[in-house]
Amino acid sequence: MSICVAFNLSDGVVIAVDSATTMTDASGTISKVFLDADKLFQLGGLKIGIATYGVAALDGRTIGSFLRQFTSDGANADIATLDVASIAERLRAFFFDHYKAFAEKLYGIPFDQIAANLKGSLGLVVGGFSSGAFQSELWEIVIPTNETVGSSRCVFAQGKIGHAWFASALPINRYLKGFDWQIIGKIDAFLKAALGRDLTQAEIQQLVTSFEDCEYHIQTDGMPIQSGIDCARFFVEFVLGHYRFAETHPIVGGKAKIGVVAYGHSAFRILE
């Protein structure tokens, strides 16, 4: 797995990831963990960056090698003129086709006959500036979930400021919000036993809302790019520390890698 943290700010996008990648065989057994993987990329010299999480390789190739194939394809020679939404759609279609072909080769059956728990998933977080835009945006693509045209998720549209986290983010949820859905599930089970009935959806929502007073709020309105870089680094290193010391499998590891693109930049830059 991975951790990915992204900030969409008034002046640009910051994306941070860890550098561990886990290789598994067809049964899901871990065969190797690399701690120096590349999971953060500049897309073809554009003001767009991409982070990946989930499946680390397809047919023996890294996700980075597929991104290079995508940008070198003559059919994508026009991506510098496109908006981020259109680029995300092309990436979705490109990776779904390759993901499907690899899975069918691996299991020897049509993709729709492969059990859901064997399909795995590949996530791509795409952030930056559309051609000619002065505000940035952020998208998420999850393969194979986003198999239909236009199904990628707009996390932050142009002008929408905020931060988001992806993949193995449970420690961040607990730190910021004071709870996660595991805790809510435990409370729900306790109250069900005490009351002798299931909680209604309205009661569950009221329970979740009651935690809002305990939440730590990150001030993203007016946040400078450098503060976004520092905060993204903090969150990724926080998750790295958690999985280093907690009594659990270290599914996140290596070191924090950070990328940024601001309005005045000519391209997305990877800082470390």
Side-chain angles (χ1 to χ4, degrees):
M1 290 299 290
S2 305
I3 179 62
C4 173
V5 176
F7 284 76
N8 194 53
L9 304 174
S10 59
D11 294 323
V13 167
V14 178
I15 305 176
V17 297
D18 70 310
S19 65
T21 188
T22 302
M23 311 303 294
T24 60
D25 59 22
S27 68
T29 302
I30 295 175
S31 58
K32 181 66 178 177
V33 176
F34 294 105
L35 296 179
D36 52 0
D38 291 322
K39 297 192 286 188
L40 186 61
F41 306 92
Q42 177 195 76
L43 183 66
L46 303 179
K47 298 170 69 172
I48 295 174
I50 298 177
T52 69
Y53 64 86
V55 170
L58 299 174
D59 205 16
R61 294 173 54 191
T62 64
I63 304 305
S65 76
F66 282 97
L67 284 170
R68 292 191 295 274
Q69 178 182 343
F70 175 84
T71 55
S72 64
D73 188 338
N76 296 317
D78 62 342
I79 58 173
T81 67
L82 302 179
D83 56 24
V84 179
S86 298
I87 292 173
E89 171 56 28
R90 289 198 189 180
L91 285 166
R92 184 208 61 78
F94 173 84
F95 274 101
F96 181 79
D97 287 346
H98 284 282
Y99 198 97
K100 178 182 177 182
F102 169 64
E104 291 179 337
K105 176 182 177 182
L106 181 65
Y107 295 108
I109 56 177
F111 190 73
D112 59 3
Q113 295 179 20
I114 300 172
N117 66 309
L118 295 178
K119 287 182 177 179
S121 67
L122 167 65
L124 297 100
V125 178
V126 184
F129 291 86
S130 296
S131 176
F134 71 93
Q135 291 179 307
S136 56
E137 56 194 285
L138 192 80
W139 291 73
E140 182 189 26
I141 306 163
V142 181
I143 305 298
T145 302
N146 298 139
E147 63 176 307
T148 59
V149 174
S151 59
S152 301
R153 180 172 72 100
C154 181
V155 182
F156 296 114
Q158 292 181 26
K160 184 69 173 178
I161 295 170
H163 58 92
W165 44 90
F166 310 87
S168 303
L170 185 145
I172 297 177
N173 275 306
R174 288 193 178 179
Y175 168 71
L176 283 182
K177 295 185 174 297
F179 76 96
D180 56 45
W181 287 105
Q182 289 183 2
I183 293 174
I184 293 295
K186 293 288 186 181
I187 296 173
D188 178 51
F190 172 80
L191 292 175
K192 178 181 178 180
L195 298 173
R197 62 173 177 84
D198 290 333
L199 292 182
T200 66
Q201 284 302 118
E203 288 171 332
I204 292 174
Q205 185 57 50
Q206 185 178 1
L207 175 61
V208 172
T209 302
S210 70
F211 279 91
E212 290 181 356
D213 290 341
C214 303
E215 183 175 348
Y216 293 144
H217 293 279
I218 303 299
Q219 177 68 44
T220 50
D221 287 354
M223 177 181 277
I225 285 289
Q226 185 58 54
S227 293
I229 292 169
D230 294 341
C231 196
R233 178 186 287 110
F234 163 73
F235 280 128
V236 171
E237 291 183 345
F238 173 71
V239 177
L240 285 168
H242 168 81
Y243 283 105
R244 178 183 176 191
F245 297 112
E247 206 170 81
T248 184
H249 294 296
I251 58 176
V252 174
K255 64 180 182 179
K257 294 187 177 182
I258 301 169
V260 60
V261 60
Y263 176 74
H265 295 168
S266 60
F268 185 84
R269 300 184 296 177
I270 298 174
L271 305 180
E272 53 189 89

